[in-house]
Amino acid sequence: SRIEKTVFSAVRADGFDLGGREQAIVCGIETHVCVSQTVHDLLDIGVEVHVPADAVGSRHELDYQRGLTRMESAGAVVTSVEAALFELLERAGTPEFKAVQRLIL
């Protein structure tokens, strides 16, 4: 569900809830601010965090690169959208695989 976020970290937003999940994929803008603070807060509460490098962005390349490096050093898995999608799917030949395949090809 969608929540209004007026804080940098989504974890600190009213209504944020992972529903008991122990893993998260974090995407968004301003890699070095909102994405980074969200990732660090999730790591602090023991969540395994994946950050697709091609699903985050910053206005400046330096901020983007430093944000990714900092999150990875803290324990986040920096990946790609395609890698994350196929890890979620686990196998080919399913209707879900075919739907994702149409999106990425």
Side-chain angles (χ1 to χ4, degrees), residues 6-103:
T6 57
V7 291
F8 294 126
S9 172
V11 175
R12 298 169 190 242
D14 290 336
F16 180 84
D17 182 12
L18 284 178
R21 292 174 187 86
E22 297 176 355
Q23 297 175 310
I25 298 173
V26 179
C27 308
I29 54 173
E30 299 307 336
T31 306
H32 60 297
V33 181
C34 295
V35 175
S36 180
Q37 288 187 32
T38 299
V39 166
H40 284 90
D41 282 351
L42 288 169
L43 291 169
D44 286 348
I45 60 172
V47 174
E48 179 184 317
V49 182
H50 296 254
V51 181
D54 52 337
V56 297
S58 296
R59 289 169 292 140
H60 304 288
E61 183 67 21
L62 177 64
D63 292 328
Y64 169 79
Q65 292 298 335
R66 297 305 311 144
L68 288 177
T69 300
R70 188 167 168 243
M71 289 181 282
E72 190 168 40
S73 294
V77 177
V78 176
T79 187
S80 69
V81 169
E82 188 169 324
L85 288 172
F86 285 116
E87 285 178 28
L88 289 168
L89 290 169
E90 295 182 345
R91 64 177 45 119
T94 64
E96 293 83 5
F97 170 81
K98 290 177 183 176
V100 168
Q101 190 177 37
R102 282 192 298 274
L103 289 173

